[in-house]
Amino acid sequence: LPGDGYRMPREAQWEFACRAGTTTPYWFGDRINNAAQSEWVTDDSAGKTRPVGSYGSNPFGFYDMHGNVREWCQDGWNSAFYYSFKNQPAVDPLSKPHGPHMHMVRGGTWEMKTLIEGRSAARRPGVPSKRYENYGCRISISVQNARRMIEHQR
């Protein structure tokens, strides 16, 4: 459909999906307790991206949120963006590009040196014009557009 609404998630949407209703550093708790929770790290990854779903999903049904590849977000990179909401909370804010065409990247990767790099709140900048072997993307669509597409298919 024209204007189907597919796009990269906003940073806040990505973190909401990663946390899956929790407030802990990882959707499964405060710390990593076993190898199945560690997902992809340098020692376990064989230095490459693995097929989606090689580990279990979070309670929302999303796979690989703490590992495998870092994921691009729609937001521009701004290290102080969320600090501006310290006294005035916001719902699903969008950071405009800031700096030399840098965008937000979320999540962990098989290249992580420590597991803390893959926690739900981990964020870093990325330059979209560069190629990163451990960066990928997750596509999102609004509920409204998904319903519209389902109705169109009927």
Side-chain angles (χ1 to χ4, degrees), residues 89-145:
V91 175
D92 196 18
L94 176 64
S95 175
K96 304 279 189 221
H98 180 77
H101 309 290
M102 296 176 76
H103 276 260
M104 183 58 62
V105 181
R106 299 296 300 260
T109 174
W110 52 263
E111 181 190 55
M112 293 184 294
K113 301 298 184 230
T114 64
L115 298 174
I116 194 92
E117 294 178 53
R119 73 192 192 288
S120 300
R123 50 197 309 263
R124 66 180 49 234
V127 180
S129 61
K130 291 187 177 181
R131 180 184 177 274
Y132 302 90
E133 64 184 353
N134 58 337
Y135 282 29
C137 63
R138 185 176 300 263
I139 304 300
S140 67
I141 186 170
S142 71
V143 172
Q144 176 185 347
N145 285 341

Side-chain angles (χ1 to χ4, degrees), residues 77-85 123:
W77 167 256
N78 182 339
S79 62
F81 182 64
Y82 282 101
Y83 184 75
S84 65
F85 302 108
R123 50 197 309 263

Side-chain angles (χ1 to χ4, degrees), residues 47-103:
K48 62 182 179 180
T49 303
R50 301 272 180 93
V52 172
S54 293
Y55 289 88
S57 64
N58 72 14
F60 284 179
F62 295 114
Y63 291 88
D64 313 330
M65 298 300 289
H66 293 295
N68 203 13
V69 295
R70 290 191 172 102
E71 299 176 8
W72 292 102
C73 291
Q74 187 178 350
D75 301 65
W77 167 256
N78 182 339
S79 62
F81 182 64
Y82 282 101
Y83 184 75
S84 65
F85 302 108
K86 182 178 178 183
N87 297 319
Q88 182 181 8
V91 175
D92 196 18
L94 176 64
S95 175
K96 304 279 189 221
H98 180 77
H101 309 290
M102 296 176 76
H103 276 260

